[in-house]
Amino acid sequence: MSGTSQRELGKSNSPIEDSLEDTFNRTVDEGSQRLHRRWREILVTGFFGGTEVAMGVLAYLAVLNATGNQLMAGLAFSIGFLALLLGHSELFTEGFLVPVTTVAAKRASVAQLFKLWGGTLAANLVGGWVIMWLIMLGFPKLHAQTVESASHFATAPLSAETVALGLLGGMAITLMTRMQHGTDSVPGKIAAAVAGAFLLAGLQMFHSILDSLLIFGAIFTGEASFGYLDWLKWFGYTVVANVAGGLILVTLLRLLRSKERIEEEREEADAE
């Protein structure tokens, strides 16, 4: 189907389907707002993102400790993603689809993208670190479960399996973002958040923020056989795998799907 034919068939006079046009506009509009934030806004929003994910970790640990069921615990973790969605905070790994599309459309710069990524990542970790400290103080009965869960990640060597789990983790959360931006329905967005949590936490994929908070909690107990250096080694390859999974397996394909629309947006940006 040529671009001309698509324009004639659709209601939006766009080279892509009307549903994709709506999603594209929502994505660029939101990405423009996020990428033009000041440092204070980025750091505060990211800090809240870390604290909210930590509450999801608390729910995950409580259910896993009570039931021993990893899949049920993954569903419980969705509390963290629901808080992110409804509280409009920011998680580093959510920044692969929306901001990158915005930069590709020339509505923001690469420097702004790295500012958002760097500030959000650091603030996520700090916010989550603080809340995990409080959780370990307030729930000593969860110490053993926290150490056991965190050991799965902190002691994992760099291998084809762990890299694959990191790639899938980045893909899963970017897919969640894609689903949420593909609809205006709040129940639909909530369903996507629950699905993302089930995949990431329920199947123990490697996620640079979520699993870092588990590791922080285990270190706080004083009972873990690993420390911050072990975390940093694990975090180094996991964050790279997450970025690669989100960008290559989801975002790049989405950009190729909307190539003609992105080119139009770039031309409009150059003309302004």
Side-chain angles (χ1 to χ4, degrees), residues 11-182:
K11 298 178 181 179
S12 61
N13 194 34
S14 171
I16 57 178
E17 292 93 334
D18 290 340
S19 59
L20 292 180
E21 173 68 16
D22 292 340
T23 300
F24 179 84
N25 289 331
R26 280 195 297 268
T27 298
V28 172
D29 287 345
E30 180 183 329
S32 297
Q33 295 177 48
R34 288 163 63 180
L35 284 165
H36 285 85
R37 288 173 181 160
R38 293 169 293 184
W39 273 111
R40 172 178 56 83
E41 296 163 340
I42 290 174
L43 295 176
V44 171
T45 306
F47 184 89
F48 278 128
T51 62
E52 289 162 0
V53 168
M55 298 309 292
V57 172
L58 172 59
Y60 168 87
L61 291 170
V63 171
L64 188 57
N65 185 63
T67 67
N69 190 308
Q70 188 72 40
L71 297 180
M72 288 182 63
L75 289 175
F77 173 72
S78 63
I79 290 172
F81 281 172
L82 290 173
L84 286 172
L85 171 67
L86 301 177
H88 301 287
S89 49
E90 184 94 32
L91 190 64
F92 164 68
T93 47
E94 289 183 299
F96 300 150
L97 177 62
V98 176
V100 171
T101 301
T102 306
V103 171
K106 284 193 173 182
R107 294 301 177 178
S109 67
V110 174
Q112 288 173 310
L113 176 64
F114 282 109
K115 175 182 175 181
L116 177 70
W117 278 353
T120 301
L121 177 60
N124 282 167
L125 293 172
V126 172
W129 187 92
V130 171
I131 300 303
M132 290 307 300
W133 173 65
L134 292 175
I135 289 172
M136 292 301 102
L137 284 178
F139 295 92
K141 65 180 181 180
L142 295 179
H143 284 192
Q145 184 61 66
T146 304
V147 173
E148 179 183 344
S149 297
S151 296
H152 174 74
F153 305 101
T155 62
L158 176 61
S159 66
E161 178 184 349
T162 55
V163 170
L165 288 172
L167 289 169
L168 290 170
M171 177 184 178
I173 194 158
T174 309
L175 177 61
M176 180 187 79
T177 304
R178 177 185 169 187
M179 290 190 292
Q180 289 176 338
H181 284 83

